[in-house]
């Protein structure tokens, strides 16, 4: 690769950042880092109607959480600023004019009513929503059909107009996609997209081409849903820049529902927690406040790993990858052509694996915060770390630590004595009382406690197995948790004694 690699993620700040968007970020990021290139974040905010004020900050926060920080952006700065399209308005107008002068675009003066009339008039059974295309444009009010004087008159009278691309009537538009290979479109099937809107703002189509050119983007990776727009972008590249230095395109596969039946919709997305974070605004598309992966207790490392595997693998069975390893192994050639199925259960599996392999000091503060939000205040100290270490294999999500370790801090509210009552007898009561009485001569650690417990069981001729479950239930309230002697060690002598004595009263 001789040209400096420069890739971009170009979100429109219209709502939360979902799974598919972050995967696009990730593949851009990995590619850039692998090739010593730059990753640029450009805010495509030219659609004022769909603009959501807090969405931009949200996007930055999400990328920071994921550890996928851009090299250049509206916040990070950079040599190609501004990185917000709304601040680049004047630039696009000049290119739109250039296209009109060259006869590759035209002014269209049609009012919304006239456009609606057109749709009604040309609607047929086979074509229920007629497009403004090479045929229709001949019958509409634009600089192709009006006289030059009339066009000048309308312009100087300040009439509202848009600029549309003039799609060729009979041309094959081809390009090579890095994932899909050769792609061809027939120009007649593409409508005359608006390039510049009545408010003087460009549409996405014009802005994306102009900015990819000006920002010297070498590769443009985006979701497959943009493939139908590609012919317009290729033509604009040809008209404006003679195709010189056009980025190499890669359209990433769709993310599908777990059963593979169709594209993952926003609705499934919210149900399955697709936004990265909860949004502090109501999503305009769903009118709902969705919770995100972060709130559900995902580690960013796991989230990123899971996303990487949604449509890519390194050719082996390996599934667990850290970011550095992903950068080293990633290649676009191994991105699949077909859609990738998203499975929330699999996402949780990734998280579980990451919790197991991550040092608890990395996430103890997050756990402390989660505890706090549920009214349990604990210090983030060595004891906490020991506890988290002990239970982490049982936790799939960070939010699972609460149930798995609450009993280390407070005595269980209810103890399931019923499940041990049946086999309880006075010998067992005596056993526990004597075990407690013997602690004075036992060092307070799990190994010593276990040895004294087993020794006493032998002396009393009671099977250890019959004593372990009662001990567990007395300590934690139910049939769960890590090793009972580890629990005793960590909750301390006094608390262990209290819990055993309280439970025995009910037996
Ligand atoms: N602004 C487009 C979006 O919202 C960007 C598409 C592209 O990367 O070209 O996804």
């Amino acid at each position: 690769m001789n040209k400096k690699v420069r890739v971009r993620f170009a979100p429109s700040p219209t709502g939360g950042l979902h799974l598919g968007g972050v995967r696009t970020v990730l593949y851009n990021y990995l590619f850039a880092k692998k090739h010593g290139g730059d990753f640029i974040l450009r805010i495509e905010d030219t659609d004022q109607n769909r603009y959501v004020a807090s969405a931009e900050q949200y996007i930055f926060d999400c990328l920071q959480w994921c550890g996928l920080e851009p090299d250049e952006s509206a916040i990070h700065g950079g040599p190609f600023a501004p990185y917000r399209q709304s601040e680049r308005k004047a630039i696009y107008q000049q290119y739109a004019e250039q296209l009109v002068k060259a006869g590759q675009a035209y002014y269209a003066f049609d009012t919304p009513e006239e456009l609606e009339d057109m749709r009604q008039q040309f609607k047929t059974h086979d074509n229920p929503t007629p497009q403004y295309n090479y045929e229709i444009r001949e019958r509409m009010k634009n600089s192709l059909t009006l006289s030059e004087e009339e066009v000048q008159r309308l312009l100087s009278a300040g009439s509202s107009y848009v600029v549309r691309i003039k799609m060729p009537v009979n041309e094959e538009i081809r390009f090579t996609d890095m994932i899909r290979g050769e792609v061809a479109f027939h120009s007649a099937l593409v409508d005359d997209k608006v390039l510049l809107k009545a408010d003087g703002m460009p549409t996405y189509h014009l802005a994306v081409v102009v900015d990819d050119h000006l920002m010297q983007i070498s590769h443009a990776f985006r979701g497959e849903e943009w493939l139908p727009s590609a012919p317009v972008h290729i033509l604009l590249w040809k008209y404006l820049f003679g195709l010189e230095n056009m980025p190499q395109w890669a359209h990433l596969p769709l993310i599908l529902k777990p059963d593979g039946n169709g594209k993952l919709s926003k609705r499934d997305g919210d149900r399955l927690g697709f936004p990265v974070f909860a949004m502090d605004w109501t999503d305009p598309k769903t009118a709902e406040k969705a919770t995100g992966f972060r709130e559900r207790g995902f580690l960013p490392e796991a989230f990123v790993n899971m996303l990487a595997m949604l449509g890519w693998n390194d050719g082996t069975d390996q599934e667990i990858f850290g970011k550095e390893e992903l950068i080293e192994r990633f290649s676009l050639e191994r991105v699949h052509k077909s859609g990738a199925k998203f499975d929330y259960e699999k996402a949780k599996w990734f998280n579980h694996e990451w919790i197991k392999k991550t040092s608890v000091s990395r996430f103890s503060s997050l756990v402390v915060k989660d505890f706090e939000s549920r009214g349990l205040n604990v210090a983030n100290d060595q004891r906490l770390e020991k506890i988290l270490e002990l239970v982490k294999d049982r936790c799939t999500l960070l939010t699972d630590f609460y149930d798995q370790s609450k009993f280390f801090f407070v005595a269980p509210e209810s103890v399931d004595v019923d499940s041990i009552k049946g086999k309880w007898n006075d010998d067992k009561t005596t056993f526990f009382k004597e075990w407690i009485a013997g602690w004075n001569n036992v060092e307070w650690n799990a190994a010593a406690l276990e040895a004294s417990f087993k020794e006493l069981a032998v002396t009393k001729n009671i099977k250890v197995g019959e004593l372990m479950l009662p001990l567990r239930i007395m300590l934690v309230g139910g049939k769960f948790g890590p090793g009972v002697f580890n629990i005793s060690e960590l909750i301390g002598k006094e608390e262990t004694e209290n819990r055993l004595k309280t439970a025995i009263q009910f037996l």
Side-chain angles (χ1 to χ4, degrees):
M1 229 165 284
N2 35 26
K3 201 160 73 167
K4 164 111 185 179
V5 167
R6 288 179 53 81
V7 297
R8 86 298 193 275
F9 176 57
S12 301
T14 55
L17 194 53
H18 285 63
L19 212 59
V22 196
R23 191 194 55 180
T24 303
V25 173
L26 177 63
Y27 287 6
N28 269 293
Y29 179 94
L30 296 176
F31 188 83
K33 297 300 147 190
K34 174 157 190 138
H35 297 288
D38 299 324
F39 168 49
I40 291 106
L41 184 105
R42 184 172 69 223
I43 299 289
E44 303 211 324
D45 57 349
T46 57
D47 190 347
Q48 301 291 318
N49 297 327
R50 292 172 59 221
Y51 183 76
V52 174
S54 35
E56 183 182 313
Q57 190 56 47
Y58 174 95
I59 291 167
F60 280 110
D61 293 345
C62 288
L63 297 200
Q64 192 180 40
W65 183 77
C66 294
L68 305 171
E69 294 255 9
D71 300 300
E72 296 169 26
S73 79
I75 295 188
H76 301 77
F80 298 91
Y83 291 92
R84 232 178 247 116
Q85 288 184 329
S86 58
E87 293 166 21
R88 303 168 65 81
K89 191 172 168 184
I91 302 176
Y92 311 112
Q93 282 166 348
Q94 171 192 320
Y95 286 99
E97 288 305 319
Q98 180 187 327
L99 289 165
V100 174
K101 282 209 183 81
Q104 291 150 336
Y106 58 90
Y107 300 120
F109 299 96
D110 317 274
T111 62
E113 294 74 35
E114 286 164 338
L115 289 172
E116 187 47 39
D117 284 350
M118 176 274 278
R119 283 183 208 116
Q120 292 307 330
Q121 197 187 335
F122 297 108
K123 162 164 109 175
T124 62
H125 181 73
D126 294 333
N127 185 14
T129 48
Q131 306 266 28
Y132 204 117
N133 65 5
Y134 73 99
E135 267 178 319
I136 302 281
R137 70 186 173 217
E138 302 298 334
R139 310 171 191 219
M140 303 299 288
K141 210 164 108 193
N142 55 49
S143 57
L144 301 173
T145 57
L146 301 171
S147 70
E148 203 163 311
E149 297 77 58
E150 182 62 2
V151 171
Q152 282 315 319
R153 196 190 60 75
L154 287 170
L155 290 177
S156 32
S159 304
S160 175
Y161 69 87
V162 300
V163 173
R164 287 182 181 271
I165 188 170
K166 188 179 171 198
M167 287 304 287
V169 180
N170 187 9
E171 197 175 310
E172 190 155 65
I173 304 164
R174 304 182 145 273
F175 72 97
T176 309
D177 186 278
M178 293 175 81
I179 295 170
R180 326 194 72 76
E182 279 297 302
V183 188
F185 294 88
H186 198 279
S187 64
L189 297 176
V190 186
D191 60 321
D192 287 1
K193 295 259 184 276
V194 172
L195 301 178
L196 202 69
K197 291 180 281 188
D199 62 2
M201 274 288 192
T203 57
Y204 156 68
H205 302 294
L206 178 62
V208 78
V209 169
V210 168
D211 284 345
D212 282 351
H213 164 77
L214 293 176
M215 296 182 179
Q216 297 176 11
I217 299 304
S218 63
H219 298 79
F221 307 151
R222 59 186 180 188
E224 197 178 278
E225 65 273 24
W226 296 104
L227 195 57
S229 303
V232 178
H233 303 163
I234 307 282
L235 266 191
L236 287 173
W237 264 96
K238 180 169 144 190
Y239 293 160
L240 291 171
F241 313 115
L243 293 177
E244 203 176 317
N245 290 326
M246 182 170 75
Q248 275 185 268
W249 302 96
H251 290 87
L252 307 174
L254 295 177
I255 297 183
L256 306 174
K257 293 182 209 247
D259 60 7
N261 262 332
K263 189 186 167 195
L264 198 65
S265 69
K266 276 280 300 164
R267 274 200 82 72
D268 298 313
D270 293 338
R271 188 166 52 83
L272 298 167
F274 289 179
V276 183
F277 303 163
M279 290 171 253
D280 59 4
W281 69 88
T282 308
D283 194 298
K285 288 174 217 127
T286 56
E288 275 168 20
K289 281 192 181 166
T291 65
F293 280 95
R294 181 182 58 178
E295 292 73 26
R296 285 168 184 247
F298 277 81
L299 281 172
E301 292 86 344
F303 179 61
V304 164
N305 186 172
M306 177 275 290
L307 279 180
M309 306 310 288
L310 267 182
W312 173 85
N313 65 49
D314 76 340
T316 71
D317 288 340
Q318 184 174 340
E319 290 186 281
I320 299 298
F321 292 92
K323 194 169 83 177
E324 292 313 313
E325 206 178 2
L326 282 173
I327 292 172
E328 192 186 302
R329 305 274 187 88
F330 185 75
S331 78
L332 222 51
E333 289 77 47
R334 294 209 59 87
V335 172
H336 314 152
K337 281 195 189 57
S338 52
K341 288 179 203 157
F342 171 68
D343 179 352
Y344 188 59
E345 292 309 312
K346 184 75 192 202
K348 290 201 300 198
W349 176 84
F350 276 104
N351 208 53
H352 186 47
E353 294 303 309
W354 273 92
I355 286 182
K356 285 195 284 185
K357 78 192 232 50
T358 303
S359 147
V360 296
S361 59
R362 157 74 186 82
F363 55 76
S364 58
S365 64
L366 301 173
V367 173
V368 169
K369 259 208 203 134
D370 179 56
F371 284 7
E372 227 169 66
S373 74
R374 309 198 208 188
L376 179 65
N377 293 311
V378 303
N380 189 356
D381 57 10
Q382 268 195 337
R383 175 171 181 257
L384 176 74
E385 288 198 3
K386 266 194 187 166
I387 292 170
L388 300 186
E389 197 59 59
L390 212 52
V391 301
K392 72 177 189 176
D393 286 5
R394 297 158 196 276
C395 298
T396 301
L397 298 168
L398 290 178
T399 44
D400 293 338
F401 278 96
Y402 181 80
D403 284 337
Q404 289 297 336
S405 59
K406 185 180 174 197
F407 58 83
F408 282 101
F409 306 97
V410 283
E413 272 157 37
S414 64
V415 175
D416 181 17
V417 279
D418 287 348
S419 65
I420 40 176
K421 248 185 189 155
K423 288 190 171 175
W424 195 258
N425 54 33
D426 287 347
D427 288 352
K428 289 183 182 168
T429 306
T430 314
F431 171 86
F432 279 99
K433 285 192 172 154
E434 283 187 29
W435 186 46
I436 294 169
W439 287 347
N440 288 336
N441 307 318
V442 177
E443 220 185 301
W444 198 257
N445 64 52
L449 285 167
E450 181 170 1
S452 73
F453 188 87
K454 289 185 173 165
E455 220 171 277
L456 186 60
V458 173
T459 318
K460 294 278 171 198
N461 204 16
I462 310 178
K463 282 195 194 120
V464 177
E466 284 195 20
L467 296 163
M468 293 289 266
L469 182 66
L471 175 58
R472 172 172 302 284
I473 290 185
M474 289 190 269
L475 290 176
V476 310
K479 293 178 194 163
F480 65 98
V484 277
F485 301 107
N486 297 100
I487 298 174
S488 307
E489 176 186 326
L490 279 159
I491 66 177
K493 194 186 271 187
E494 205 178 315
E495 183 63 18
T496 305
E497 183 173 340
N498 283 343
R499 291 191 194 180
L500 297 187
K501 285 188 169 163
T502 313
I504 289 170
Q505 283 174 21
F506 296 100
L507 282 161

